[in-house]
């Protein structure tokens, strides 16, 4: 499936939909999730069009990959998540629960987080 330029994150990047921005640079945009699952729930997205983590790692230039992940570090520092910890989640595809077909990282913190998946 090709990248869909009509997805909500593409619209946010184009300024068609507002967001509550945390930080950005030439490689990433970080903003608060509108349906937070933790006291701090930020989405970090690359500025270029990649549908998921696989697409990003296959097609992004090395400087984009480095810039994106350095951006995640910058956001954790800005939000003081380094000391107590945080969780990064990236869903990919239907089975992975991806809802928006633009690569993104969920950055969650601000309290002790429980198990990611229930144990069997």
């Amino acid at each position: 499936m090709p990248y869909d330029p009509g997805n909500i994150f593409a619209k946010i990047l184009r300024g068609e939909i507002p967001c509550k921005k945390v930080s950005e640079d030439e490689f990433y945009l970080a903003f608060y999730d509108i349906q937070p699952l933790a006291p701090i729930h930020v989405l970090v997205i690359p500025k270029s069009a990649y549908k998921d983590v696989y697409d990003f790692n296959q097609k992004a230039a090395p400087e984009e990959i480095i810039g994106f992940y350095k951006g995640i570090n910058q956001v954790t520092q800005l939000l003081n998540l380094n000391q107590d910890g945080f969780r990064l989640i990236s869903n990919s595809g239907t089975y992975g629960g991806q809802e928006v077909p633009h690569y993104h990282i969920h950055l969650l913190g601000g309290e002790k987080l429980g198990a990611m998946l229930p144990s069997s």
Side-chain angles (χ1 to χ4, degrees):
M1 175 187 314
Y3 180 82
D4 175 11
N7 75 71
I8 191 167
F9 294 163
K11 291 178 180 181
I12 289 171
L13 286 169
R14 290 192 299 265
E16 296 171 10
I17 296 175
C19 70
K20 187 176 176 188
K21 188 186 326 180
V22 174
S23 178
E24 80 175 307
D25 71 7
E26 64 185 294
F27 299 110
Y28 78 93
L29 171 64
F31 54 94
Y32 288 98
D33 193 300
I34 60 170
Q35 295 180 334
L37 300 176
I40 297 173
H41 186 167
V42 171
L43 299 169
V44 185
I45 64 175
K47 291 251 181 125
S48 297
Y50 301 104
K51 65 181 180 175
D52 58 22
V53 65
Y54 182 81
D55 190 37
F56 180 70
N57 288 328
Q58 288 290 110
K59 297 177 184 171
E63 60 271 11
E64 286 181 282
I65 294 170
I66 292 167
F68 179 73
Y69 288 106
K70 283 188 175 208
I72 292 170
N73 271 3
Q74 182 172 348
V75 174
T76 62
Q77 290 172 0
L78 285 171
L79 299 174
N80 297 313
L81 294 173
N82 303 33
Q83 186 173 5
D84 294 326
F86 55 89
R87 180 173 292 159
L88 295 177
I89 300 172
S90 177
N91 301 319
S92 182
T94 304
Y95 284 8
Q98 185 176 4
E99 294 178 8
V100 178
H102 183 107
Y103 177 45
H104 58 285
I105 296 283
H106 294 261
L107 172 60
L108 300 109
E111 70 182 10
K112 186 171 181 173
L113 303 171
M116 193 163 59
L117 295 172
S119 57
S120 38

